[in-house]
Amino acid sequence: MGLPDFTIPLASFGEKYRYKYVAVYHALRAAILDGTLPEGTRLPATRELAELYGLSRGSVSQAYDMLHADGYVRAAVGSGTFVAGGLQPSQADDGPRAPIALSRWGQRVSAAMAIGGDAGEAPLAVADRLGGARTAPPPEAAAVPISYRDGGPWETLFPEAEWNSALAWAARSKPGTGSGEGADPAGEPELRAAIAAHLRRSRGIAAEAEHICLFNGSMQAITLLTQLLLGEGEPAVLENPCYYGISRAVAACGGVVVPAALDVDGIVPRDWEARLLFVTPGRQFPTGAVLSHARRRELLAWASRRNAVIVEDDYDSEFRWGGRPLEPLKALDHEERVVYVGSFSKTMFAALRVGYAVLPRALVRPVASAKALYEPVPPARQEQRALARFMRTGGYERHLRRMRRHYGAKQEAFRRCLERELGGVFRFRPADAGLLLYAEWRRSPEEYNAFREAAAARGVHFRDAAAYQITPGAPAACFAFSHLDDKMLIEGVFRMKAAWEDIQTHRL
């Protein structure tokens, strides 16, 4: 639980080199040369990196020695190993990349914003990822209700004093942030730069601040991207099941949803006749499956053949406490076909509606034009600057480490209790990250419906996975746990056990 948040392209080089220390050397060397690990970046201790990737400490030490001998790193006694200065970075290819096709709406917006004119109003509000029940309210329960539906952050441990200090700094340093004068529709430059630095270290993505656009939550980013990239009657590939907000966005744009099958390893690649794919490879929503490195390569190959764009939604993989870190699709993308979408609503607090997208260069101007049309003045500019300060001073990373430990312990206790008390009726998917547990129902659909009603009668509510299924599937449930204290978390399990016993009693 105390391992560093650090990603290198080890899987890619592990396929090329037989010896692990050579693969580690080349993975770190590539990240240094392409600027993903800039000068002065502190590398994890050999023990930490070895434990993170399941290697021997000797292999990592040998790789560090080779990097030091070749001048890529410098060692400071008692302080650690750092990326050396004065290196000649790899020359980026500034030539044209993948010609990304825009929808007719996207073409019209780009053309209209290029010649000026009045901007439109802000877009309609969108639903929160786990907010808003889709079924009628359950019957009144005698006990205090316990809901596993809302997966908001546990805000008791949030460092309010440090955050308030950042807010005060933002107000003092630039008091005119509320006027909108000179505002960039893509968001505050300081926050975009801080996000780029965070993604370089934590995700291995060679992000540039000028390729990042900020949004009022990740769903706004997904909706706008759908409008830009999908024309009426055109197909878009979606995981089945997936977050229903994405299928709504596709339908609103007149697109045709193409359901993609899943297995225990995530989406199953096919040669879809489409040019837009939405995927959650880091942790599939809602099943929790982690997409293998080989399948990630297959998706990128498909996108290259079809001249397609992949929207990678990395919605809550900041909270990972087990398993080997895999490079995001964006880190593997050498043709600039992947849009990487992230959010702070789960890592900070629910009221902070800040999402972002790391864009291919071909999409930077179209997205900025569309964003300016919807929001000529970006919202929450002071909060954006405060968040940038919070990240630059290390507060955000400290907060993430603290919450990983908290959520990891909470998830482990919750899972053990569920498997012990309800393992006869639910099969729980393995999960080493995220704030949601996915459970497949072992019995009949009729018994599942009866169980939901009986649980609601005892004041326990959970998300029916049918809300996320594009086509009808087997009964399953989703249990969010991050927002509940330990007592309520466990009490809800015993209430559900009693609800199942109620059903068995009525049969007698």
Side-chain angles (χ1 to χ4, degrees), residues 5-6 47 72-73 90 103 116 159 186 194 211 216 221 224 241 264 279 442:
D5 198 10
F6 189 85
R47 176 189 57 78
Y72 293 109
V73 300
S90 302
S103 68
H211 297 163
N216 184 20
L224 189 144
V264 294
V279 67
R442 294 176 178 269

Side-chain angles (χ1 to χ4, degrees), residues 62 64 121 128 167 181 187 194 206 233 250 264 280 288 291-292 303 357 411 462 484:
Q62 195 167 356
Y64 277 26
E121 297 298 325
D128 186 73
L167 281 171
E181 184 178 350
V250 171
V264 294
T280 50
L291 194 66
S292 69
Q411 191 250 37
F462 53 85
L484 294 172

